Amino acid sequence: MNAKDLLDLVRKITDNEPRVRERGADEATDWVSTYSAAEAGATATVLAVTAAAETDHAALEAQLHAILEIMSSGHVQGSHISQIRDIDLQGLPNQIREYISDLLEE
């Protein structure tokens, strides 16, 4: 992954618009096989920080799914995604709660 692609991805993941953040998270999974260890860790961290502040359920679900996919690369440690613990579970759909539970078990 080159620097421009990584920067474009981070910009999408952190965009002001929920739909753009959701698409950015979806795109993050497209790169899993090409991430270096540093890129995987950085992308997972940005996704976790964004997820911890996310207010849109669809974007949050996409972010959590992307983190799980990136973790499958073996390059992501729990410390990369520690912000997941800051997500308030109240009012979240069960599927999102399951993603969070799966991530916290990793």
Side-chain angles (χ1 to χ4, degrees):
M1 171 173 238
N2 65 46
K4 182 188 177 310
D5 290 335
L6 182 58
L7 185 58
D8 286 344
L9 180 62
V10 169
R11 285 180 176 149
K12 288 175 187 172
I13 292 170
T14 60
D15 195 88
N16 287 330
E17 294 297 319
R19 295 300 146 239
V20 176
R21 291 193 303 274
E22 183 180 355
R23 281 193 309 273
D26 289 341
E27 285 181 28
T29 64
D30 296 340
W31 293 96
V32 170
S33 64
T34 65
Y35 288 132
S36 68
E39 291 164 346
T43 304
T45 298
V46 171
L47 284 162
V49 169
T50 307
E54 188 58 68
T55 57
D56 182 87
H57 287 176
L60 177 57
E61 184 174 353
Q63 292 155 354
L64 297 172
H65 173 78
I67 293 168
L68 278 170
E69 290 293 317
I70 295 168
M71 288 185 82
S72 72
S73 71
H75 296 305
V76 177
Q77 307 299 316
S79 62
H80 289 117
I81 62 164
S82 61
Q83 293 82 6
I84 295 296
R85 296 184 191 287
D86 296 338
I87 298 173
D88 183 6
L89 300 178
Q90 285 192 334
L92 293 178
N94 284 336
Q95 185 170 2
I96 292 176
R97 287 178 186 217
E98 289 174 15
Y99 272 124
I100 293 169
S101 176
D102 289 345
L103 286 167
L104 293 176
E105 289 176 5
E106 293 285 330

